[in-house]
Amino acid sequence: MMLGELAIKIENVVASGALKNKIDLNAVIKMFPEAEYRPKKFPGVILRVKQPTATFLIFCSGKIVCVGAGSEREAETALRKLIRRLEDGGVLIAGEPDIQIKNVVASANLGGSVDLLRLYESTREMRGRVMYEPDQFPGLIYRMERPRAVLLIYSNGRLVCVGARREKDVHDAILKIHHELETKKLIYRG
């Protein structure tokens, strides 16, 4: 999505679906022979699907994690579609699953390079929420409280947003940091 000069791209949405009953993972493997199940290495079934693109982690507890979706809607649709396929295949599904978005990951280009040292120095009052140790990590880490998100800001103007629970929060967080950087004249173009 383009917002002014910002190019924001949702990279991954992680969602979970909690069923009200346990799942027989051997039945899941029979239903989806392409799925992976190696209980000595990982306690769940790994199932990759193409429409919509997603990877599911299915646990015997009834918890299903969906990763790789491109939007909140796509994650919810993928989970509901999988649950329907499980039910159609004979897996008992008791009641409506509890589907929740757990993490939205996005990237953006701020439209110019960023002076991370000046940004860090201008945020002294926010210590604990801002970390910049260029010897350890090449970006500045900003833990935004409202909306709740973690922004990884790089000197080339690239940004990664993680930890948000809604796409709207991602957009609001990126717009907020962009405005702050513009106001403090910390984005350099050309």
Side-chain angles (χ1 to χ4, degrees), residues 38-116:
R38 297 185 191 110
K40 289 183 179 171
K41 286 188 173 188
F42 184 72
V45 170
I46 301 170
L47 175 64
R48 291 173 182 83
V49 297
K50 295 201 186 308
Q51 259 326 74
T53 302
T55 298
F56 297 101
L57 309 175
I58 306 167
F59 300 94
C60 65
S61 65
K63 183 170 184 176
I64 302 171
V65 178
C66 173
V67 298
S71 69
E72 290 175 66
R73 176 182 282 176
E74 196 175 285
E76 287 182 33
T77 299
L79 273 166
R80 290 191 189 287
K81 189 174 177 180
L82 173 68
I83 291 165
R84 233 182 353 264
R85 285 183 66 192
L86 289 171
E87 195 168 33
D88 291 347
V91 174
L92 175 68
I93 306 294
E96 273 297 303
D98 178 23
I99 296 176
Q100 295 180 1
I101 302 298
K102 297 293 186 178
N103 187 14
V104 179
V105 179
S107 63
N109 186 336
L110 295 169
S113 59
V114 179
D115 186 332
L116 296 180

Side-chain angles (χ1 to χ4, degrees), residues 142 144 151 153 159 173-181:
Y142 175 25
M144 189 176 283
L151 302 169
I153 305 167
L159 172 147
I174 293 172
L175 287 173
K176 185 175 178 180
I177 193 66
H178 185 260
H179 177 74
E180 186 175 330
L181 293 169

